[in-house]
């Protein structure tokens, strides 16, 4: 986890705080990488609380990340926006 990105995401600037969960699931005998939005808030304290809670209770292979997102913005134009990268090695369990 990159602490600088987390600090940036939890800054009290009025932007939406988005928590994503990445994991690998078995679907029809095939491993599939899944990224889900699991929590949204504008309150940085609630976002930090939930982010900490989710990470403390996560299952093996789960990964959580929190993002700071302005509304009405094409997110890929930002330096860092909601995404989780899943590699083939993650799917193979290596």
């Amino acid at each position: 986890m990159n602490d600088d990105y987390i600090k940036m995401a939890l800054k009290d600037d009025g932007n939406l705080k988005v928590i994503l969960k990445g994991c690998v699931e078995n679907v029809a005998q095939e491993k599939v990488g899944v990224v889900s939005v699991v929590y949204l808030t504008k309150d940085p304290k609630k976002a930090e609380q939930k982010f900490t809670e989710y990470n403390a209770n996560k299952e093996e292979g789960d990964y959580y990340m929190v993002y700071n997102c302005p509304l009405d913005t094409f997110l890929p134009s930002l330096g860092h926006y909601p995404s989780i990268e899943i590699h083939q090695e993650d799917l193979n369990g290596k």
Side-chain angles (χ1 to χ4, degrees):
M1 241 180 286
N2 188 317
D3 289 337
D4 290 338
Y5 283 134
I6 293 169
K7 287 178 189 175
M8 181 176 65
L10 294 173
K11 187 168 69 172
D12 190 1
D13 56 6
N15 286 336
L16 189 64
K17 312 306 175 199
V18 179
I19 300 175
L20 297 183
K21 174 187 175 187
C23 64
V24 176
E25 294 182 1
N26 290 313
V27 177
Q29 299 176 4
E30 182 177 52
K31 291 189 176 185
V32 177
V34 177
V35 177
S36 306
V37 175
V38 295
Y39 194 79
L40 300 169
T41 185
K42 281 191 168 185
D43 184 329
K45 290 181 181 169
K46 284 183 183 178
E48 183 174 14
Q49 174 191 2
K50 289 296 184 181
F51 182 69
T52 300
E53 176 186 323
Y54 297 152
N55 275 294
N57 297 307
K58 68 183 179 181
E59 294 182 24
E60 184 178 343
D62 288 353
Y63 179 82
Y64 289 94
M65 190 61 187
V66 60
Y67 295 88
N68 181 1
C69 298
L71 298 175
D72 303 316
T73 301
F74 181 62
L75 297 177
S77 70
L78 304 175
H80 191 64
Y81 63 96
S83 62
I84 294 177
E85 192 172 301
I86 300 174
H87 297 270
Q88 186 64 44
E89 299 84 49
D90 299 323
L91 298 175
N92 294 334
K94 293 181 182 176

